[in-house]
Amino acid sequence: MPAYLAAERAAAIEAVERASRVCTAVFQRLVTEETLTKRDKSPVTVADFGAQAVVNAILEKHFPDDPVVGEEDSKDLQGEAGRALCEKVVDLVNAAVERPMSTDEVLRAIDRGQYAGGSTGRHWTLDPIDGTKGFLRGEQFAVCLALIIDGKVSLGVVGCPNLPFDMSRPTEDRGVLAVAVEGQGAFQRRLHADGDAEERMHASSVANARDASFCESVEAGHSSHGDSARIAELLGITKQSLRMDSQCKYVAVARGDADIYLRLPVSSSYTEKIWDHAAGNIIIREAGGRVSDVSGEPLDFSAGRTLSRNKGVIATNGRVFDAVIAAVQRTLGDKAPGA
Ligand SMILES: Nc1ncnc2c1ncn2[C@@H]1O[C@H](COP(=O)(O)O)[C@@H](O)[C@H]1OP(=O)(O)O
Ligand SMILES: [Mg+2]
Ligand SMILES: [Mg+2]
Ligand SMILES: [Mg+2]
């Protein structure tokens, strides 16, 4: 008998690999010195839409009844104003899929991501490019896809085209795909590898928070760096943080490159989105780690498109979880929310 969710796992890997190729192709063709100095974000926009269309088309082929909660919608590609961008996206998608897709089919594929989410049945959640700033810098970004069943994340795949397979050799062998299914463990494989070779991932065995290290956002606007410095002080952490963009941070903690990923609220109004955390969540849990919000409560993926019942995210190797939550509570408790 095939393993639980074997067909979903294979389709999700195929979808994330194809979307990762789309992103890498866009980076090579469209990101230039000029776009960077002008802070031109159009290349990442093309890649975002292209990757969402490719993943949704593959999901529809394999699981036509499954709805999708995707980050993007086709609004900006519609009408005269969107025509030039739309043409670029359609060309890009057609270079990546087996059967040619018309403009309408591409737009419809993107808009298969409009589902509202919720607590019953199956739905996928997709972040076609997570870490747009990392993508534009040629650093870390990820294509993230997860399957949620009755409000629980059951499968997650994170494609990391620029992540080294082994952090001790940071300049070689880049391109990792991390995958986890409920109850089956977390694995990494080489993105675009010929075979199906996979290596099991384990979160670190660091038991004393003093010996731990953080993995944090590059962008201070996505997680409060000031609060994390205070938390490090309380825990006696002296090791330098590993800084990177995107859900690659979850993969880094899942395989022991770092021990703690903090995403501390920067404002009381920002609500985290399910596609930013679903795949990483199961990968951490299946690697032996533990994830919660800043109160120590599990993330609730059944509330719709956002994590509206949670504030912030703390991912740890498991062993240091209680100490980290205590330090987070002390730090955030000392000030007004979002201050
Ligand atoms: N104000 C914000 N607070 C937290 N996360 C944000 C905010 N704005 C965007 N994001 C999302 O944070 C993630 C990247 O943050 P980081 O790389 O620091 O972890 C992305 O998912 C990004 O969306 P996007 O998917 O559009 O890149
Ligand atoms: Mg994102
Ligand atoms: Mg995104
Ligand atoms: Mg975005």
Side-chain angles (χ1 to χ4, degrees):
M1 212 175 66
Y4 177 57
L5 299 180
E8 287 81 354
R9 188 186 200 270
I13 291 173
E14 180 198 344
V16 167
E17 290 206 321
R18 280 200 195 229
S20 299
R21 275 203 205 283
V22 165
C23 299
T24 307
V26 170
F27 183 80
Q28 286 165 351
R29 273 195 298 173
L30 300 182
V31 179
T32 59
E33 279 302 325
E34 197 191 347
T35 56
L36 284 179
T37 47
K38 284 189 183 156
R39 296 178 185 269
D40 172 7
K41 294 206 179 72
S42 59
V44 72
T45 311
V46 179
D48 257 327
F49 289 123
Q52 179 150 327
V54 166
V55 170
N56 282 355
I58 292 171
L59 290 178
E60 183 172 25
K61 182 177 81 180
H62 292 281
F63 308 106
D65 298 330
D66 284 355
V68 182
V69 174
E71 181 181 3
E72 310 299 341
D73 66 63
S74 73
K75 209 169 54 253
D76 292 347
L77 304 179
Q78 308 272 0
E80 206 37 52
R83 193 204 298 270
L85 179 58
C86 186
E87 277 172 12
K88 279 193 191 148
V89 172
V90 172
D91 286 348
L92 187 68
V93 169
N94 278 312
V97 292
E98 278 158 5
R99 188 184 61 78
M101 290 172 75
S102 68
T103 300
D104 273 355
E105 284 175 316
V106 169
L107 295 177
R108 216 179 44 78
I110 292 169
D111 285 333
R112 284 197 84 236
Q114 301 279 53
Y115 188 60
S119 61
T120 53
R122 284 166 54 118
H123 61 272
W124 297 83
T125 187
L126 168 68
D127 193 338
I129 292 193
D130 182 52
T132 49
K133 299 223 170 95
F135 173 84
L136 287 167
R137 282 194 234 100
E139 293 171 13
Q140 298 311 322
F141 72 98
V143 177
C144 307
L145 180 62
L147 175 63
I148 295 174
I149 302 178
D150 294 335
K152 298 234 157 48
V153 187
S154 303
L155 157 70
V157 175
V158 177
C160 313
N162 294 334
L163 190 68
F165 199 75
D166 177 347
M167 278 306 217
S168 66
R169 293 181 291 121
T171 56
E172 27 188 297
D173 202 10
R174 284 170 181 247
V176 171
L177 184 141
V179 52
V181 173
E182 185 77 57
Q184 294 174 18
F187 296 84
Q188 71 166 349
R189 47 196 279 158
R190 286 180 174 79
L191 197 60
H192 313 307
D194 280 338
D196 276 327
E198 294 185 350
E199 203 171 83
R200 189 141 185 172
M201 293 194 292
H202 297 282
S204 79
S205 54
V206 169
N208 193 323
R210 245 180 329 190
D211 304 321
S213 61
F214 286 148
C215 190
E216 290 187 272
S217 285
V218 176
E219 301 294 323
H222 293 169
S223 177
S224 169
H225 286 178
D227 287 336
S228 61
R230 168 84 181 124
I231 292 162
E233 200 179 301
L234 284 173
L235 293 170
I237 290 178
T238 52
K239 283 192 190 148
Q240 216 183 347
S241 296
L242 182 59
R243 287 206 195 280
M244 64 175 85
D245 301 284
S246 83
Q247 277 186 64
C248 292
K249 288 187 280 295
Y250 281 115
V251 179
V253 172
R255 63 184 193 180
D257 300 338
D259 316 288
I260 302 161
Y261 165 24
L262 297 178
R263 195 170 192 84
L264 301 165
V266 277
S267 81
S268 49
S269 61
Y270 188 78
T271 317
E272 297 287 349
K273 312 299 186 289
I274 63 170
W275 53 80
D276 281 327
H277 301 286
N281 189 272
I282 188 164
I283 286 167
I284 291 281
R285 283 191 282 120
E286 288 295 324
R290 188 163 166 195
V291 193
S292 74
D293 65 7
V294 292
S295 313
E297 294 299 320
L299 301 187
D300 182 350
F301 288 94
S302 75
R305 292 173 65 89
T306 68
L307 295 169
S308 57
R309 298 180 187 135
N310 302 103
K311 267 284 163 218
V313 180
I314 313 290
T316 70
N317 70 351
R319 299 194 183 200
V320 299
F321 181 84
D322 290 337
V324 173
I325 293 297
V328 168
Q329 291 284 293
R330 245 183 93 184
T331 301
L332 301 188
D334 285 348
K335 52 180 227 168

